[in-house]
Amino acid sequence: MAPRFWEWLRGRKPLVDAFLVAPVLVLVFPVLLGNGPDLSGTRYVAVTVALLVPMVLRRTFPRTVFAVVAAVSFVQWALHIPVLPANIAILMGIYTVTAGCAFRWGVAAALIGELGTLMATLRYPVDANDRKFTFLAMTAVVAGVWILGLHMRTRRAYLRSVEERAERLERERDAEVQMAMAAERGRIARELHDVIAHNVSVIVVQADGASYAINTDVVRARQALETISSTGRLALGEMRRLLGVLREDDDAGEYAPQPGVAQLDDLVEQVRASGLSVTMGVDGSPAAMSEGRQLTVFRIVQEALTNTLKHGGLRVSADVRLCYAGDTVEIRVVDDGRGAAAVNDGRGHGLVGMRERAAVYGGSVRAAPRPGGGFEVVARIPVREAA
């Protein structure tokens, strides 16, 4: 409730300024009731009202209000009206202009206040010693009010800069979060494409094989159905793992590690079980690679074999070879399928995904039909950042 009240009050400056001027009436009424030694009640009330009423708008129109109060004070001085409690409006005006306006306006207000101090000291009869003391005291008051207003102006400028910086940082943070979310969605999309495209291709091939063999070779049909079952479970587990990161409130999930080079043998066995003849070889000494690079190698091989399953045709064979040479690993997947004669529906994103994955680590991918038939995918990926 209190914060809402203060927020409401901040939007009503005249009301707040009226409350701040009200305590001055405590000083006004005793003099009004006594009527002063040389001042009638009517003149006292008129000058007091002319000085205090503009203060209600002092923060709304600071320079105008200060000019009005200064003009009333000059008329007061010209008519030989002595200093009144309401003349504190001059000090309030100096503070408001200094705190709320440009620096030059604050200096001008202070100089006008100092001029009024000098004029009042010279006009009203006091002895020489008292006059000097009065002038110095009033000068100190004007200077103190001006310094206070300057301090508040500096403090407000600092707070505004802090708020602007906080807002800017918040906007930058939101932008970074959006970029991170977009990148994560892109990564998940690529992972889902690899998982679904590969495993569904295996399932389709096995289902076709089972439908042909179900009446002639029950054993092979049963093996095909078992492969479909295990492949479906593997695909389901992969999809649950990937989609689990999108569930903000799910803290209980356990996620399996990402596949790497060590899982290539399992991938080859899975593809062999689907009916594709695959051989695999490794040349050179395997280099230590980060998990991200290993995942990239695995996905490139997986996508290449998936394309062979989808577009290679019947009785096709493939060869997978990893060659470690210096700071680079070369992945070469070659098949003897249809090659350039394969039908392309234009909806696949496998080759684009392979190139994007390799480019993340400064690598490259070349995929094209072979002149004598078949298709070839060659990827080169640095095994270290320094490469």
Side-chain angles (χ1 to χ4, degrees), residues 2 18 31 53 72 96 180 191 295:
V31 180
V53 169
V72 172
T96 304
E191 292 292 323
L295 175 63

Side-chain angles (χ1 to χ4, degrees), residues 16-17 32 35 49 71 143 145 154 172 205-206 209 212 227-228 252 258 279 286 290 311-312 355 364 372 375 384:
V16 177
D17 292 335
L32 178 62
N35 289 332
V49 170
V145 171
T154 304
E172 292 176 355
V205 171
Q206 292 294 324
Y212 287 122
T227 302
I228 291 174
Q258 297 278 20
T279 59
S290 63
H311 308 297
R355 293 189 177 97
S364 62
F375 201 85
R384 289 187 294 273

Side-chain angles (χ1 to χ4, degrees), residues 12-350:
R12 289 159 177 79
K13 294 181 180 180
L15 181 61
V16 177
D17 292 335
F19 280 128
L20 294 178
V21 173
V24 181
L25 298 176
V26 177
L27 302 176
V28 172
F29 280 115
V31 180
L32 178 62
L33 295 176
N35 289 332
D38 300 319
L39 188 63
S40 65
T42 302
R43 296 177 66 189
Y44 182 85
V45 171
V47 175
T48 299
V49 170
L51 288 172
L52 293 184
V53 169
M55 288 291 101
V56 176
L57 300 175
R58 68 182 181 90
R59 288 191 298 168
T60 307
F61 308 103
R63 289 178 294 179
T64 303
V65 169
F66 178 75
V68 170
V69 172
V72 172
S73 298
F74 177 76
V75 172
Q76 176 187 357
W77 175 84
L79 296 177
H80 296 271
I81 299 175
V83 178
L84 305 176
N87 286 116
I88 196 174
I90 286 289
L91 299 178
M92 297 174 66
I94 293 174
Y95 168 81
T96 304
V97 172
T98 305
C101 301
F103 177 77
R104 63 179 184 275
W105 291 108
V107 173
L111 292 177
I112 293 174
E114 185 62 20
L115 178 62
T117 296
L118 179 61
M119 294 169 62
T121 303
L122 295 176
R123 167 58 58 89
Y124 302 111
V126 291
D127 56 48
N129 291 331
D130 289 343
R131 180 173 294 172
K132 180 184 292 187
F133 174 78
T134 301
F135 176 75
L136 292 176
M138 294 176 67
T139 298
V141 172
V142 171
V145 171
W146 179 75
I147 292 174
L148 178 61
L150 190 62
H151 169 73
M152 291 303 300
R153 178 177 177 273
T154 304
R155 179 176 176 82
R156 289 171 184 171
Y158 171 74
L159 291 177
R160 283 195 299 270
S161 67
V162 170
E163 291 177 356
E164 292 174 357
R165 182 172 181 269
E167 292 176 358
R168 184 174 66 254
L169 291 176
E170 185 174 357
R171 290 194 298 269
E172 292 176 355
R173 183 197 63 188
D174 293 341
E176 291 176 356
V177 169
Q178 293 296 329
M179 293 174 61
M181 291 174 61
E184 183 66 12
R185 285 195 295 267
R187 185 191 70 82
I188 294 174
R190 290 193 298 269
E191 292 292 323
L192 283 174
H193 172 269
D194 293 338
V195 170
I196 295 175
H198 172 73
N199 290 288
V200 171
S201 297
V202 172
I203 290 174
V204 170
V205 171
Q206 292 294 324
D208 291 341
S211 66
Y212 287 122
I214 193 168
N215 294 324
T216 58
D217 194 340
V218 178
V219 176
R220 292 195 63 182
R222 183 180 295 109
Q223 291 176 350
L225 292 176
E226 291 175 354
T227 302
I228 291 174
S229 177
S230 61
T231 303
R233 289 191 180 93
L234 177 62
L236 185 60
E238 287 279 327
M239 291 178 63
R240 284 176 175 172
R241 178 178 61 80
L242 291 173
L243 296 178
V245 300
L246 300 178
R247 300 179 60 186
E248 298 179 355
D249 299 329
D250 187 5
D251 298 328
E254 295 184 358
Y255 306 114
Q258 297 278 20
V261 176
Q263 283 71 43
L264 286 176
D265 292 335
D266 297 335
L267 174 65
V268 170
E269 289 298 328
Q270 182 187 29
V271 175
R272 283 175 183 159
S274 66
L276 178 65
S277 176
V278 184
T279 59
M280 180 176 174
V282 178
D283 298 330
S285 300
M289 290 189 292
S290 63
E291 293 183 358
R293 284 177 167 79
Q294 293 192 46
L295 175 63
T296 298
V297 172
F298 181 90
R299 293 305 188 196
I300 289 175
V301 174
Q302 183 184 51
E303 181 61 34
L305 294 178
T306 299
N307 288 338
T308 300
L309 278 171
K310 292 168 61 177
H311 308 297
L314 299 175
R315 294 183 296 276
V316 63
S317 62
D319 178 69
V320 178
R321 190 158 299 276
L322 301 184
C323 179
Y324 295 93
D327 293 328
T328 305
V329 58
E330 181 183 89
I331 306 106
R332 184 181 297 270
V333 181
V334 180
D335 66 55
D336 56 1
R338 295 191 182 101
V343 178
N344 184 7
D345 58 5
R347 299 180 181 179
H349 301 283

Side-chain angles (χ1 to χ4, degrees), residues 355-374:
R355 293 189 177 97
E356 289 180 352
R357 287 181 179 277
V360 169
Y361 298 102
S364 62
V365 174
R366 179 177 60 83
R370 301 172 64 195

